[in-house]
Amino acid sequence: MAGDDGSGGSGAGDGGGNREEVLIQIAGASKATSSSSNEAAPQNSPTKHWHWWLIVALNIFFLIAGQTASTLLGRFYYNEGGNSKWMSTFVQTAGFPVLFIALYLFRSKPPTTQTTTSMPETPTTRITLIYIALGLMIAADDLMYSYGLLYLPVSTYSLVCSSQLAFNVVFSYILNSQKFTPFIFNSVLLLTFSASLLGVDGDTQGTNDISHGQYILGFVLTLGASATYSLTLSLMQVTFEKVIKRETISVVLNMQIYTALVATLASLIGLFASGEWKTLEGEMHAFSSGRLSYVMTLLWTAVSWQIASVGVVGLILVVSSLFSNVISTLALPIIPVFGVIFFHDKIDGVKIIAMLMAIAGFVSYGYQLYVDDKKARKTSVSVEENS
């Protein structure tokens, strides 16, 4: 979907109350010391403090609930007789018009002459090509996820997806100059071993009528999708830093909307080019839960993905994009529990160990974020005292 891993920075208006747009932090661990006012501001008063935490909690709920619901609905679609990988890919981004509401609510005021000259202009051709490239990557990523969800039990699928945090660290180190620390290295190892356990364990095959070869294909494609997703996030960070050079709400929303538009068009082309569109009517009539259930499943899958996107954007706005990505990873070990409840997935000892390792990897990574944030706050306080 859209970007979670951005660049460090902070934003405030240039003196006076005539800010044309709220500037936000798009923070990475490599720039943890440059904490923005978004994170420090809630400390000014108890009211602001609790208001800020309420917004954070609400966005965390949106992200976890949307991601969990969309994954479970995607598995339900396949279980009830759905078989179109391109349709499954299409609904992951087709609900992007919902984000135009947020774009309207956070629209910028007409810029003044002073701010117009101070704000860098983004080359239209270059940013258009970037949106197209990222959108095509997202479409390919969604397609791989669709194959993975078809061939893997939802619990196994979710645990393999948790490897995206490990890939995120690697790509951030290469492309975004993120520093490795013992806690981050420990997180990478735990998440890698967690995914490896599921890859070599033959007993994790729990989906009906899925051969061993299809299981391996689903595992490899899900792992590839996790790597592609993390690469996309790091490339978005580079775009924010090197090309757009502005960190505003509308910049984040535009990145999500236009890349999703490209991904949706690519999915439609794939749907018609593959010939799968011819099978959709028969698929709807053969859907075990009925035609209405078929339509509602696809509709609510698309809505769920956009609810998750709203949570992603909200966490980028009020905290940081890196924190948003970590919360996204946190949701993944939760999904296997629902997979056991709703789809009766097998939950053997190996899968439990993999789940615990994934949670431990998240905790290790989260603790590093806590350490970075603590240092950033101390630096901010010392700067304020000196000034």
Side-chain angles (χ1 to χ4, degrees):
M1 300 295 293
D4 302 307
D5 190 28
S7 61
S10 62
D14 298 330
N18 193 19
R19 283 198 300 187
E20 42 174 86
E21 193 169 13
V22 180
L23 298 182
I24 65 172
Q25 178 193 19
I26 306 170
S30 62
K31 295 186 178 182
T33 55
S34 58
S35 178
S36 77
S37 59
N38 287 325
E39 295 181 84
Q43 310 301 325
N44 293 338
S45 70
T47 302
K48 289 184 178 180
H49 176 80
W50 286 110
H51 178 70
W52 184 82
W53 275 110
L54 179 62
I55 294 175
V56 170
L58 187 62
N59 283 293
I60 289 176
F61 172 77
F62 284 156
L63 175 51
I64 293 179
Q67 185 168 300
T68 302
S70 58
T71 302
L72 294 175
L73 286 170
R75 180 68 257 173
F76 178 78
Y77 166 76
Y78 287 131
N79 281 2
E80 295 297 298
N83 195 48
S84 173
K85 276 75 67 177
W86 281 108
M87 175 57 73
S88 179
T89 302
F90 171 76
V91 296
Q92 292 184 50
T93 53
F96 73 90
V98 173
L99 297 179
F100 279 109
I101 299 174
L103 189 62
Y104 173 78
L105 293 175
F106 293 105
R107 65 190 184 282
S108 59
K109 297 178 182 178
T112 61
T113 305
Q114 182 180 359
T115 56
T116 301
T117 55
S118 62
M119 292 177 65
E121 292 186 6
T122 304
T124 304
T125 303
R126 185 186 301 179
I127 196 61
T128 300
L129 292 175
I130 290 174
Y131 284 155
I132 292 173
L134 291 175
L136 293 175
M137 288 181 64
I138 291 171
D141 182 56
D142 290 345
L143 181 62
M144 287 190 285
Y145 275 132
S146 297
Y147 271 96
L149 196 56
L150 173 63
Y151 292 146
L152 296 178
V154 68
S155 52
T156 304
Y157 166 85
S158 301
L159 290 172
V160 176
C161 285
S162 65
S163 63
Q164 71 186 41
L165 192 55
F167 286 117
N168 178 48
V169 172
V170 174
F171 287 124
S172 293
Y173 175 78
I174 296 173
L175 298 175
N176 311 126
S177 303
Q178 177 172 303
K179 295 180 180 179
F180 268 106
T181 67
F183 290 110
I184 290 179
F185 185 71
N186 181 58
S187 174
V188 172
L189 285 180
L190 288 171
L191 291 168
T192 302
F193 284 137
S194 174
S196 299
L197 276 177
L198 297 172
V200 300
D201 180 41
D203 292 335
T204 54
Q205 297 182 60
T207 309
N208 296 330
D209 303 324
I210 297 300
S211 66
H212 180 71
Q214 289 174 323
Y215 174 85
I216 295 300
L217 177 63
F219 178 85
V220 171
L221 288 176
T222 304
L223 202 61
S226 298
T228 304
Y229 176 73
S230 299
L231 176 60
T232 302
L233 300 184
S234 291
L235 291 175
M236 285 181 175
Q237 176 176 344
V238 173
T239 302
F240 282 130
E241 288 182 335
K242 307 296 184 182
V243 181
I244 299 178
K245 298 178 182 178
R246 287 185 293 127
E247 298 162 359
T248 66
I249 302 170
S250 63
V251 163
V252 175
L253 289 173
N254 282 329
M255 175 70 77
Q256 286 201 324
I257 289 170
Y258 294 117
T259 55
L261 171 62
V262 174
T264 301
L265 293 175
S267 301
L268 276 177
I269 293 172
L271 181 64
F272 283 95
S274 65
E276 285 189 0
W277 67 275
K278 300 176 182 178
T279 67
L280 294 182
E281 184 177 357
E283 185 178 275
M284 181 172 63
H285 287 286
F287 204 66
S288 299
S289 302
R291 288 177 291 180
L292 178 61
S293 177
Y294 177 83
V295 174
M296 296 304 291
T297 298
L298 294 178
L299 174 64
W300 285 109
T301 301
V303 171
S304 297
W305 278 118
Q306 294 314 306
I307 290 175
S309 294
V310 169
V312 167
V313 174
L315 289 176
I316 290 174
L317 171 63
V318 297
V319 189
S320 73
S321 54
L322 185 56
F323 180 79
S324 180
N325 190 34
V326 172
I327 295 300
S328 177
T329 305
L330 172 63
L332 296 173
I334 298 174
I335 295 175
V337 178
F338 291 98
V340 173
I341 296 172
F342 294 111
F343 303 117
H344 308 293
D345 286 351
K346 294 180 181 178
I347 188 77
D348 56 15
V350 172
K351 191 172 290 186
I352 291 175
I353 294 173
M355 186 187 303
L356 293 175
M357 291 179 72
I359 293 173
F362 162 78
V363 171
S364 180
Y365 199 62
Y367 183 75
Q368 181 61 53
L369 292 182
Y370 167 76
V371 172
D372 290 341
D373 179 68
K374 193 174 181 180
K375 289 181 180 178
R377 290 179 186 277
K378 286 183 177 179
T379 303
S380 179
V381 170
S382 62
V383 169
E384 289 179 1
E385 289 177 349
N386 292 333
S387 61

